[in-house]
Amino acid sequence: MSFDPATLSRILTALTLGFHIIFATIGVGVPVMIMIAEWLGIRKQDPHYILLARRWARGFTVTVAVGVVTGTAIGMQLSLLWPSFMKVAGQVIALPLFMETFAFFFEAIFLGIYLYTWDRFKKPLYHWLFVIPVVIGSSASAFFITTVNAFMNTPQGFTLANGAIAAIEPIKAMFNPATPSKVAHVLASSYLTSAFILAAITAWSILKGKGGEYHRKALRLTMIWGLVFAVGTIVVGDLSGKFLAKYQPEKLAAAEWHFETKPQADLLLGGTLDPETQEVKGALVLPGALSILAGGTTNTEVKGLNDFPQELWPPLYVHYLFDLMVILGMYLAVVAGLFILARAWKKKYEWNPWLLRSIVAGGPLAMIAIELGWMYAEIGRQPWILRGYMKTSEGATMSGDVGQMLILFALLYAVLAIVSTSVLLRMFRNNSPELEMQKRGIQQ
Amino acid sequence: MSHDTLAIIWFGLWGLIWAVYFMLDAYVLGTGMLFPFVAKSEREQRQLQDSIGPFWSGNEVWLITAGGATFAAFPLTYALMFSYLYTPLMFILFALFFRAAGLEFMHKDDSKNWKSFWKWGFFGGSLVLALLLGVAFANLFKGLPFDATGYHGSLLSLLNSYGLLGGLTFLSLFLLSGSVWMAVKTSGSVQERGARLANRVWMAAALLVTIFLVATNNKTHLFDNFVAHPVLWILPALSIVSILLVKLFLHKQKWITVFAFISATIVTLMATGFAGMFPNMLLSSLDPAQHVTLYQAAGSRLNLQLMLIVAVIFVPIVIFYQSWMYRFFREKISPENAQGYK
């Protein structure tokens, strides 16, 4: 089996982004959870919360070590795999990428201080202050890099004549129409996913019979904030729908198999499509819901795919990616909501094993939702790499080396995956919360 | 400011960022290469880890910034450099990971194999980085085998005599920097070993720096600029003077001053290379007509202007809080207070 360089470039880029986003998501979200936990610990003078912050921070360093490498790999691959794209877009996205390095400085230097000064200050609040630049740095780098992706969806701030780019306005390009909704969605969903991953680890420990106060506090904390971020993600997701309807209608239409432009458009869940007749079978139909998503009322007219030439349609299977992402997002909100309701109703209900199992499942499912969301974002933009200006196939390299690169990078990611999993497991096993509380003389 | 002036300023800034990176990572890489041989017990290992632990990631961001500045200010250089040198860059990427993971993961498990694996991972990653970065920059100074039809080199062709000499020169300077760092930042027997090593490594480093400069004269065209503008000779002269002063202050055991002069040697050596390349950024060893100049490689005027504003604001801020961090952690690490972060 042999692929052309453009296909191999797509595979390698998909692999790199799909792997990097796991660590990037944790890297953006976990500092926020650390900040909240330590703050609670200081305010309530509760060593359990402080210990949570400590342990999360230690795990966080592992994901940072991997994220730096995979992020650098993206930087390398951009110009190796997509030279024609970079020739055009490189000039425009240079500014945010350069600014991102200053966000890294902020994060890396203050993380160094934060990790080494747990017991150094008389006032614990001083130590807490050092996590703030880490949070700002990691979220700012997510902001800068997401503006680049937003630019690919709604490019502006330049002119293109005969393949040469001119009249570049980098700031206008950075703050393009896709920037607000995309950045907000990325940040909220990263916080949500990180809260759920930490919750899943805790729920797993409780199911294994470790039901001390420490775990209970951890679960409450992560679930309350999980709910906050889930609601935030859903609200922002709604804004993204409105953004798409206005600026990338073909992407929204493809996600909903919406062919004819009309008001009272329906939202479809699942189903199968006959591409010839454009008929959908077996889908759960939410009448008028697509119009609401697109414009807030059922009377909003939603553009259909038939308004676009067929060669500019995104692949129609994005419907399933979109649906699954939405369903998983809802699942997370429901689980977190149930947990809080159960607790409000009767305290012991929050330790219901089925509830705990749903939380355990929520960790990996949240990460799957992130992957699906990015797949929808990237595949839904096809056939464009730079919407309206350049097709993905035109941006790719002609080099014959991509196959070899694919093998080398796959090897790198395999090493990173094995090492990071193994070190996290060992850290947890060798120094369980129970053992650490014992060592530190914290009442369990 | 005209586009050309901006481009020249950016070339200077680009060189500066690289030089700062090498100055800062030198002692971390040096510590990594000496780690298995200097630290005889877990306590001493922790001592060495703590002496670089809070700092190394902030130092490494300078490397990422150097890459980012190349990408942002000189997109053509970035595109060509990455496609010509992608195999060594791949090794550098692996090495960066093993260096970081070795340092951070070594004591996360008590198994003997685990510790030994990461100890040598830390060592190997540091060694490969020091050597390859030296080889890469020596080849950039000398010129890469490309012409109008493309690149005609390979990983092996980079390992020519001048490239290897560059690699060894970097290696020896980093070893020197690392051993002096031990003398600066630790106390007890680790400090004594660092001090002893520094005296031994100095000889090799001084010799290699001198040979490297002579070879640069014989094997590259870098000094053409120096002949045209003799004031530039001050840069290699300062390299030599600095490395000699290192010896003087080694005798006096003024460790911080020694460290400052090693840093000066590294920075002036890099500056010598960059001044020799000017106004080119990628030299072709096959056809001088194919050199890529900084004017050809520079990004748009507005971009350079905006990024200069960003750099003028943020580089001093970074330098300020990074220096503050070094001051904050100025305490020597004794065997007793070395415990990593908990």
Side-chain angles (χ1 to χ4, degrees), chain B residues 207-252:
Chain B
L207 211 62
L208 279 163
V209 168
T210 316
I211 299 174
F212 183 69
L213 286 171
V214 172
T216 302
N217 187 44
N218 299 340
K219 296 228 170 187
T220 77
H221 297 286
L222 284 192
F223 288 146
D224 293 358
N225 275 346
F226 292 61
V227 174
H229 305 279
V231 63
L232 290 174
W233 288 111
I234 199 163
L235 293 171
L238 277 176
S239 283
I240 301 277
V241 171
S242 303
I243 195 84
L244 292 174
L245 284 172
V246 165
K247 184 68 179 167
L248 178 69
F249 288 101
L250 270 177
H251 269 297
K252 298 190 176 177

Side-chain angles (χ1 to χ4, degrees), chain B residues 161-175:
Chain B
S161 57
Y162 183 72
L164 283 172
L165 181 62
L168 290 175
T169 308
F170 269 50
L171 191 85
S172 66
L173 283 171
F174 293 178
L175 284 173

Side-chain angles (χ1 to χ4, degrees), chain A residues 348-411:
Chain A
K348 67 171 186 188
Y349 286 161
E350 70 182 344
W351 314 119
N352 177 301
W354 283 106
L355 195 52
L356 291 173
R357 280 179 204 127
S358 334
I359 297 172
V360 171
L365 289 177
M367 195 52 89
I368 291 171
I370 295 275
E371 296 280 357
L372 290 167
W374 276 107
M375 282 160 83
Y376 171 59
E378 296 298 289
I379 299 167
R381 196 190 56 243
Q382 303 303 323
W384 301 106
I385 192 167
L386 196 58
R387 183 177 180 269
Y389 291 92
M390 185 186 271
K391 299 235 174 96
T392 310
S393 50
E394 300 162 348
T397 179
M398 299 294 158
S399 157
D401 294 337
V402 187
Q404 181 203 337
M405 282 178 64
L406 183 58
I407 295 168
L408 276 173
F409 276 102
L411 183 73

Side-chain angles (χ1 to χ4, degrees), chain A residues 53-72:
Chain A
R54 268 184 202 263
R55 294 179 61 86
W56 290 345
R58 258 182 267 143
F60 177 65
T61 59
V62 175
T63 57
V64 170
V66 178
V68 170
V69 178
T70 53
T72 313

Side-chain angles (χ1 to χ4, degrees), chain A residues 54 57-58 61-62 65-66 68-69 72-80 86-87 90-95 97-99 101-102 104-121 130 168-171 401 404-406 408-409 411-412 415-416 419-420 422-423 426-427 429-430 436 440, chain B residues 10 13 17 49-50 52-62 64-65 68-69 71-73 75-76 78-79 82-84 86-87 89-90 93-94 96-98 100-101 104-105 108-111 114 117-118 298-300 302-303 306-308 310-311 314-315 318 321-322 324-325 328-331 340-342:
Chain A
R54 268 184 202 263
R58 258 182 267 143
T61 59
V62 175
V66 178
V68 170
V69 178
T72 313
I74 296 177
M76 277 176 74
Q77 288 174 13
L78 273 179
S79 49
L80 284 173
M86 289 311 280
K87 217 170 241 170
Q91 292 271 355
V92 188
I93 62 183
L95 182 69
L97 286 177
F98 183 61
M99 291 181 79
T101 60
F102 291 100
F104 291 154
F105 268 124
F106 217 45
E107 181 181 351
I109 290 175
F110 285 100
L111 182 64
I113 301 178
Y114 183 75
L115 289 173
Y116 279 87
T117 51
W118 278 102
D119 305 310
R120 189 155 165 156
F121 300 101
F130 286 111
I168 300 161
E169 298 171 79
I171 302 216
D401 294 337
Q404 181 203 337
M405 282 178 64
L406 183 58
L408 276 173
F409 276 102
L411 183 73
L412 175 68
V415 170
L416 296 177
V419 169
S420 53
S422 140
V423 75
R426 279 165 198 258
M427 280 165 73
R429 218 174 32 218
N430 292 339
E436 197 170 354
R440 292 179 185 279
Chain B
W10 265 102
L13 202 58
I17 294 172
Q49 284 174 296
D50 275 14
I52 53 178
F55 309 115
W56 73 269
S57 58
N59 297 349
E60 197 179 292
V61 179
W62 284 95
I64 296 173
T65 305
F71 173 84
L76 182 64
Y78 184 87
F82 274 46
S83 76
Y84 295 166
Y86 117 80
T87 329
L89 281 168
M90 209 56 218
L93 207 56
F94 271 95
L96 277 173
F97 176 68
F98 275 91
E104 292 286 331
F105 299 174
K108 301 286 192 227
D109 192 58
D110 286 330
S111 121
W114 175 269
F117 179 81
W118 288 115
S300 75
L302 184 63
N303 237 335
L306 282 171
M307 290 191 310
L308 188 61
V310 172
F314 285 104
V315 171
V318 169
Y321 64 67
Q322 202 165 20
W324 178 81
M325 179 199 200
F328 184 79
F329 287 111
R330 64 187 175 279
E331 196 186 351
Y341 53 86
K342 282 191 173 176

Side-chain angles (χ1 to χ4, degrees), chain A residues 189 258 285 329 336 340 414:
Chain A
S189 60
H258 178 66
V285 180
I340 288 158

